Amino acid sequence: MSQAGNALLRGVNAEAVVADLDRLRAAHIVAEQWLLAVENRLEGPAHYLLEDELQEQVEIHRQSAASLAERVAELDGEITGDPTKLLELSGLGSFEMPADTSDPTVITDYALERVRRLIGAYAETLDRTRDADELSHRLLLKILRQQVGTEAELEA
């Protein structure tokens, strides 16, 4: 990280921020993979109602993970490269497929629960970066806004 970037960290260990950002990145990768797996199994009404929405969410998670990885690099950190560790690192809990991939409600209810867990993880990380790492904090707020928007869409 640049000298000026280092000067922006106040009272926070860069490694701790990297760990938080990598955990959130892992959560986005797990969410992306879940969405792709569900999309692959869509049938009936869910196929017509959710296919485009799932693709949109896949891209949001992909971009979020990339942005978090970029910030980790700026902090001279390293992202987790072992895909077998991502689910555990994400802190999102078990990875389950919907019992009925033709029922949009079953899919969106599960997705809503996962989005809420992710929002909670962001809230915890925001508490740690507030007034300590302005650049990470602003990035987290930007991504969190997208997740809150997704939550609102799923609730509607």
Side-chain angles (χ1 to χ4, degrees):
M1 180 167 64
S2 68
Q3 192 94 357
N6 277 325
L8 292 173
L9 295 177
R10 293 182 301 268
V12 65
N13 181 329
E15 285 129 18
V17 175
V18 164
D20 282 340
L21 298 177
D22 193 34
R23 179 176 47 83
L24 292 171
R25 180 189 151 276
H28 284 287
I29 292 170
V30 169
E32 174 193 353
Q33 292 304 305
W34 182 83
L35 289 161
L36 288 169
V38 170
E39 180 189 32
N40 177 258
R41 292 164 173 78
L42 286 178
E43 54 191 12
H47 184 269
Y48 298 106
L49 294 171
L50 298 177
E51 185 176 31
D52 292 340
E53 291 295 321
L54 292 179
Q55 270 304 310
E56 181 181 319
Q57 289 303 310
V58 163
E59 190 55 35
I60 287 171
H61 285 291
R62 187 173 291 141
Q63 290 174 0
S64 296
S67 295
L68 291 164
E70 190 175 302
R71 180 65 183 140
V72 165
E74 290 170 357
L75 292 167
D76 288 333
E78 296 177 351
I79 59 173
T80 300
D82 183 346
T84 63
K85 296 179 180 179
L86 293 176
L87 181 60
E88 181 180 346
L89 178 61
S90 76
L92 292 178
S94 64
F95 184 84
E96 300 171 11
M97 297 307 300
D100 182 359
T101 56
S102 68
D103 184 347
T105 302
V106 169
I107 295 167
T108 57
D109 285 351
Y110 185 80
L112 179 59
E113 180 261 325
R114 302 301 275 194
V115 166
R116 287 179 174 156
R117 283 188 191 183
L118 187 55
I119 289 171
Y122 269 88
E124 291 172 12
T125 305
L126 281 166
D127 285 343
R128 289 190 284 275
T129 59
R130 184 176 292 111
D131 298 325
D133 178 0
E134 190 66 27
L135 296 176
S136 295
H137 193 75
R138 287 175 187 254
L139 172 63
L140 294 171
L141 285 172
K142 177 183 171 189
I143 297 171
L144 178 59
R145 270 190 225 102
Q146 290 177 321
Q147 293 306 306
V148 170
T150 297
E151 180 187 33
E153 288 176 19
L154 289 169
E155 288 175 331

